[in-house]
Amino acid sequence: MLQRMLWIFPDRESTRTAAQWNAAFWSTYAEVADELGLTWVRTAPEAVTVDATDPRAPRVYVDGVPVTPEDTLFVTSPYTLPYQAADTFNQFTLYAVLEQAGFYLPHPPWLAALGNDKMATLLFLRDSPIPPIPTVRVSAGRDLLYDEFLTACERLTYPAIVKPAGWAASRGINLAHDAHDVRGLLSLAQGGDTTLVLQPYLGRATRDYRIHMVDGRAHTTLVRIPGDGARYPQYSTGAKLHYTSLPEELAATVDYFAKKLPMPYFCVDFLHDGERFWLSEVEPDGAIMCPDRTDPEVVRQNRAIVRDRFLAYRDWHTRFLGGAL
């Protein structure tokens, strides 16, 4: 029987950042899990050790404590911000190890790279009922001075949003007005060996619609509106957040995403430019943030998403082990 949910998360946050994310969602996760009789813990990749001297019966430990596929599941979405780079390879390989050791992973390892690279995501979802936003992917390698990136950008329109292909939390997003801006941003990205994606800028009125998908259904829709003076609608740039009813046009896509991504929980993000929707990205471990902690009804809805997500994890874990619900 499931007892604990362990998030594989590189333990490299600063004291201030750790406190911020804890207040934003981590503490809520732990509280809701406790209400369900489960333990929720963030686990650094290096905390997991495996004894496979008998490969038919591997023994897995977390911080020296034994865990089994029957009592534990691991959430295995990669976190690849620059200060987490040292953990990236260990995260990916650890996911494969845990899968082979028989653990249920709500986010299967085959999805790790697809979900982490924005171009891979959009190509995987190329037949989406809502078209993916046009995207160009460029690596900031050592031969940048040859301007070979210009060939890939021939059909790109300006101004363009330029952002890392695999970061999170809206880090590194910039606006390029022409190829010269792109060259400058690539030069900076070269310092961190960062791959960028370029997309047409949809304007300051762009809204972001996030669908929280739980057990194959649209659970709750969150709208993000750009903050004062911001160029894109994200929490980190002062976006205004609120829950809303699911737009009819997006409701028609739910079955497609449920079949394409057979997981108990994930988020699908769409951008609306004032006239039409565009598919933006998919986040298997999309954060469940509360738009307004002063409103009891909003807090209730926020916690309901977390609760139903964890209940779905528990149900799918039971199925994985061959049990009946």
Side-chain angles (χ1 to χ4, degrees), residues 257-275:
F257 287 100
K259 292 176 182 177
K260 198 77 172 179
L261 298 160
M263 297 184 293
Y265 172 84
F266 60 92
C267 291
V268 189
D269 292 347
F270 298 91
L271 299 177
H272 193 273
D273 60 12
E275 296 182 2

Side-chain angles (χ1 to χ4, degrees), residues 85-96:
D87 294 289
T88 300
F89 185 73
N90 193 23
Q91 287 180 79
F92 277 89
T93 53
L94 177 58
Y95 304 164

Side-chain angles (χ1 to χ4, degrees), residues 43 126 128 204-205 213 215 225 253 258 292 320:
T43 301
R126 60 169 64 87
S128 165
R204 289 183 184 271
M213 294 283 295
D215 205 10
I225 303 171
T253 72
D292 184 358
F320 175 79

Side-chain angles (χ1 to χ4, degrees), residues 210-245:
R210 163 163 289 190
I211 302 177
H212 293 277
M213 294 283 295
V214 178
D215 205 10
R217 296 182 293 273
H219 186 289
T220 302
T221 304
L222 176 74
V223 176
R224 292 176 283 197
I225 303 171
D228 295 338
R231 288 174 169 152
Y232 50 89
Q234 291 292 342
Y235 171 80
S236 59
T237 58
K240 301 168 185 175
L241 286 62
H242 68 270
Y243 294 131
T244 188
S245 57

